């Protein structure tokens, strides 16, 4: 996806870039290629919530202009270095960050969390887990302070060296991966839609040992639909309602014929 001015305005339902308050580009195949990068974020001075989860983003530099940003969702991208946090350190209103399932998280979850909190001590929630005063104090001891942006190797056309790999990974990402949810993320979406949360004992991990392929696909598609409905206006929801009604009628007719 090319994150153009028109695309941003359409997704945010705004008439001007300075009127964009929320931008949801979840699973939109955004990478750091020249025509797909997030550089337009420099022109979003009033954006408050950005969702870039499940993309191929590796460079966070354009976000340092988003001075009103309070929530940033970057789960499962291609962010290789925690030094990218350098670009978020001067965002005064940032309170929620979701950065898990990126290469920068490494194999030591404690070191990762402590480093993030040392550099972003104003966070109230990291990776959907509340930040405590004890953690903030411990982060001063165990976390690594980031004082400079990540070093980048330039290649032709000024793209970063990670461009080709991130683009390839984005292309290779399968539909099932894009529709994969954790329990917390699923319940957050259901809460936003006014639905009851799914109990932990009822939630499936979607592993092959626990369910067959058809059930896995059904649950993935259902979760994706629930997420996307919140992006629709009244007219769009009416179209969905009509389509679902026709499908239900077809199913009921088929059941009567089988009886």
């Amino acid at each position: 996806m090319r994150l153009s001015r028109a695309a941003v305005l359409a997704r945010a339902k705004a008439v001007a870039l300075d009127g964009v308050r929320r931008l949801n580009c979840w699973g939109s195949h955004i990478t750091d290629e020249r025509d797909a990068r997030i550089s337009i974020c420099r022109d979003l001075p009033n954006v408050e919530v950005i969702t870039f989860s499940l993309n191929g983003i590796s460079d966070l530099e354009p976000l340092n202009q988003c001075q009103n940003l309070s929530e940033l969702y970057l789960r499962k991208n291609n962010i290789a270095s925690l030094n990218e946090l350098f670009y978020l350190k001067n965002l005064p209103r940032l309170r929620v960050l979701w950065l898990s399932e990126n290469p920068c998280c490494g194999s030591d979850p404690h070191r990762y969390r402590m480093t993030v909190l040392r550099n972003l001590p104003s966070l109230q929630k990291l990776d959907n887990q509340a930040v405590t005063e004890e953690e903030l104090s411990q982060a001063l001891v165990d976390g690594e302070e980031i004082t400079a942006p990540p070093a980048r190797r330039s290649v032709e056309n000024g793209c970063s060296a990670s461009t080709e790999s991130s683009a390839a990974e984005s292309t290779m990402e399968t539909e099932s991966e894009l529709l994969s949810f954790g329990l917390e993320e699923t319940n957050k979406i259901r809460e936003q839609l006014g639905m009851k949360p799914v109990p932990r004992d009822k939630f499936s991990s979607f592993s092959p040992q626990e369910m067959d392929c058809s059930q896995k696909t059904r649950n993935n598609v259902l979760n994706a639909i629930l997420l996307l409905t919140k992006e629709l206006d009244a007219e769009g929801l009416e179209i969905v309602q009509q389509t679902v009604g026709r499908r239900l009628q077809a199913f009921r007719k088929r059941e009567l014929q089988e009886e």
Side-chain angles (χ1 to χ4, degrees), residues 28-254:
S28 298
H29 298 285
I30 301 172
T31 68
D32 288 327
E33 291 181 318
R34 182 172 58 181
D35 292 333
R37 61 182 62 161
I38 62 172
S39 57
I40 197 169
C41 289
R42 299 189 185 99
D43 300 320
L44 304 177
N46 297 314
V47 68
E48 298 172 359
V49 181
I50 293 179
T51 302
F52 281 153
S53 296
L54 283 80
N55 284 289
I57 297 167
S58 63
D59 181 6
L60 302 185
E61 184 273 332
L63 296 173
N64 68 1
Q65 302 295 320
C66 302
Q67 292 295 298
N68 285 302
L69 190 63
S70 62
E71 298 183 25
L72 178 59
Y73 300 93
L74 293 166
R75 186 180 72 86
K76 201 170 186 183
N77 273 276
N78 195 36
I79 301 168
S81 171
L82 284 176
N83 281 57
E84 294 290 338
L85 296 174
F86 178 82
Y87 299 119
L88 307 181
K89 293 182 70 170
N90 293 321
L91 300 182
R93 300 185 179 182
L94 188 62
R95 297 294 181 267
V96 177
L97 175 65
W98 202 326
L99 192 61
S100 63
E101 297 181 77
N102 274 280
C104 66
C105 299
S107 58
D108 186 343
H110 177 75
R111 176 186 173 277
Y112 153 72
R113 188 171 177 89
M114 292 296 99
T115 296
V116 174
L117 294 181
R118 175 162 184 171
N119 291 277
L120 303 175
S122 295
L123 288 181
Q124 297 175 355
K125 185 177 287 189
L126 173 60
D127 297 337
N128 205 36
Q129 182 179 341
V131 176
T132 66
E133 291 294 333
E134 291 77 9
E135 283 184 308
L136 292 175
S137 298
Q138 191 64 37
L140 295 174
V141 178
D142 296 345
E144 178 184 346
E145 185 174 4
I146 295 170
T147 59
R152 303 191 195 283
R153 291 181 298 159
S154 297
V155 294
E156 188 178 0
N157 295 328
C159 296
S160 68
S162 64
T163 295
E164 292 183 5
S165 62
S166 63
E169 289 179 11
S170 177
T171 302
M172 293 173 61
E173 188 140 35
T174 64
E175 182 181 13
S176 62
E177 286 175 324
L178 288 175
L179 297 177
S180 177
F181 286 88
L183 174 60
E184 294 80 10
E185 199 163 354
T186 297
N187 281 338
K188 180 175 181 179
I189 294 167
R190 294 175 69 90
E191 179 182 357
Q192 292 173 346
L193 295 171
M195 303 174 67
K196 293 182 179 180
V198 179
R200 184 171 294 276
D201 60 347
K202 298 291 184 181
F203 184 78
S204 169
S205 64
F206 303 148
S207 64
Q209 292 79 11
E210 294 177 353
M211 59 166 55
D212 59 30
C213 184
S214 62
Q215 184 69 16
K216 171 182 174 180
T217 300
R218 175 190 175 277
N219 285 350
N220 282 339
V221 172
L222 179 59
N223 279 331
I225 291 172
L226 292 176
L227 174 67
L228 295 174
T229 53
K230 69 176 183 177
E231 297 296 319
L232 298 176
D233 55 15
E235 182 180 359
L237 289 171
E238 287 178 1
I239 293 174
V240 172
Q241 184 181 36
Q242 293 170 6
T243 303
V244 171
R246 288 194 294 268
R247 289 281 291 168
L248 285 173
Q249 289 179 357
F251 276 120
R252 288 166 182 161
K253 182 177 181 181
R254 186 185 309 168

Side-chain angles (χ1 to χ4, degrees), residues 4-23 43-44 46-47 231:
S4 64
R5 179 179 182 276
V8 169
L9 293 178
R11 283 183 175 255
K13 298 178 176 63
V15 296
L17 293 179
D18 60 4
V20 174
R21 297 293 189 274
R22 305 174 69 92
L23 178 60
D43 300 320
L44 304 177
N46 297 314
V47 68
E231 297 296 319

